Amino acid sequence: MDNSWDIFCKVVDNFGDAGVTWRLARQLASEHGLKVRLWIDDLGAFARLCPGADPHAQAQQVQGVEVCAWRDPWPGALAAQVVIEAFGCKLPAEYEAALAARPGPTLWVNLDYLSAEPWVGGCHGLPSMKSGGLRKFFFFPGFRQDTGGLLREADLLARRAVFEHDVGIRAGFLRSLGVTPAPGARLISLFAYENDGLPGWLTQLSESAQPIHLLVPEGRVLASLEPWTGERLQPGQCCVRGALTVQVLPFVSQRDYDHVLWACDFNAVRGEDSFVRAQWAARPMLWHIYRQDEYAHWEKLEAFLDLYTEALPAAAAEALSGLWRAWNMDGDMATAWVNFEAHRDVLQAHARAWCEQMAARPDLATALVQFCRNSL
Ligand code: TRH
């Protein structure tokens, strides 16, 4: 084994494609001692997640990973021993040829999207024949035993525990973002796509008995927020309505986004990577799933709800599912939030138990390395 890995990433939209591959690349390099190149076609998206990176460099060394611009025409490079094609992004034809010509064993793996659907386990690890005698294997992240698991850094939960147990660290982090919540306020983070259910939820939050401080990283959801606040908020600015303070945050590094999730009591997340990070934060959460054609995302949503609520008492399971369905299917968020709040303690304990259950399994990077060792 020469320990060289290439990861290819096409940014379809937003930050998830870059977010997942960058996280994986970093972990393969730092925890598994691998020589990793990350080929990415939108360095602008990458630089948002990793401030300090140069969005124009053809190649740069960042946190132990060689990050390269994937440009058309392909600049040419020797193929690595293991190649990860993220989310079916299709390798450059020249690279495929270089892979077929490479002496010694090689491995080509497609890293697929995350889904809790039961069929995933049956497809995880299967090969398909490609031209040039190559085989491509399908590696599926997932929540069930028969999948490749979830991305989780080895020290993640220990770092979260330190953050949680030292109120000074949390307060200092929030201050560094310009966030000074009222005494006793509950913190909620809101990372979502545009959502028509937002105004109803905000009105309900503004009528809470307890102060609520809502942190909104700048991005797409502002389009649904601004009609309710009636003003355009810049990062750092606040708007107060009743019990609710809404504050827009600047987009922070991936590492600091974890801190935002850990600092909050409840997290609304979206896509794939923030969804997983909210699970490691071990707080109750709300998922805005990425929309797909013909409502394919609804099945994914229901599959996750089935799994996540399995161990919950029926009423709490119904309240959580009701909130998630309202958020994703234009339902009544005000009523759904009131129902959810009635089960807050049970759902908090469940979020912790779920996190521990998921963390008892090998993380995705470790499972992927093992899979490659077995297959080479
Ligand atoms: O941005 P997303 O919606 O991304 C995706 C992509 O659109 C993709 O095409 C689609 O298939 C997928 O969703 C399902 O959501 P996601 O996956 O949560 O990615 C967001 C990333 O941004 C994640 O790595 C966390 C990071 N992030 C920061 O680093 N700083 C921030 O301030 C915030 C809010 C997020």
Side-chain angles (χ1 to χ4, degrees), residues 231-248:
E231 55 185 308
R232 166 153 270 177
L233 297 174
Q234 298 301 326
Q237 279 184 322
C238 291
C239 156
V240 181
R241 298 277 184 275
L244 176 64
T245 300
V246 178
Q247 182 166 11
V248 173

Side-chain angles (χ1 to χ4, degrees), residues 173-318:
F173 171 70
L174 289 171
R175 255 198 320 277
S176 74
L177 292 177
V179 178
T180 48
R186 281 175 74 205
L187 257 69
I188 297 180
S189 76
L190 171 61
F191 182 45
Y193 309 110
E194 300 80 357
N195 193 314
D196 290 344
L198 184 61
W201 186 26
L202 294 175
T203 301
Q204 189 59 44
L205 289 175
S206 72
E207 292 164 6
S208 302
Q210 193 184 2
I212 307 270
H213 202 115
L214 183 72
L215 302 177
V216 190
E218 58 179 333
R220 290 175 56 175
V221 76
L222 294 187
S224 305
L225 179 78
E226 281 161 2
W228 189 85
T229 56
E231 55 185 308
R232 166 153 270 177
L233 297 174
Q234 298 301 326
Q237 279 184 322
C238 291
C239 156
V240 181
R241 298 277 184 275
L244 176 64
T245 300
V246 178
Q247 182 166 11
V248 173
L249 295 185
F251 199 88
V252 294
S253 69
Q254 246 188 357
R255 196 175 168 91
D256 271 347
Y257 181 60
D258 277 334
H259 299 150
V260 171
L261 296 173
W262 302 345
C264 288
D265 304 292
F266 180 90
N267 294 303
V269 288
R270 72 184 202 191
E272 177 161 333
D273 192 53
S274 57
F275 174 50
V276 173
R277 302 316 277 185
Q279 293 171 54
W280 299 136
R283 276 116 175 99
M285 59 180 183
L286 173 59
W287 184 27
H288 199 184
I289 191 168
Y290 184 76
R291 279 187 189 234
Q292 288 178 286
D293 292 340
E294 291 165 11
Y295 300 100
H297 56 287
W298 283 6
E299 271 171 47
K300 282 191 176 177
L301 183 76
E302 293 298 332
F304 182 79
L305 283 173
D306 282 349
L307 212 56
Y308 186 77
T309 61
E310 213 167 47
L312 275 172
E318 200 39 57

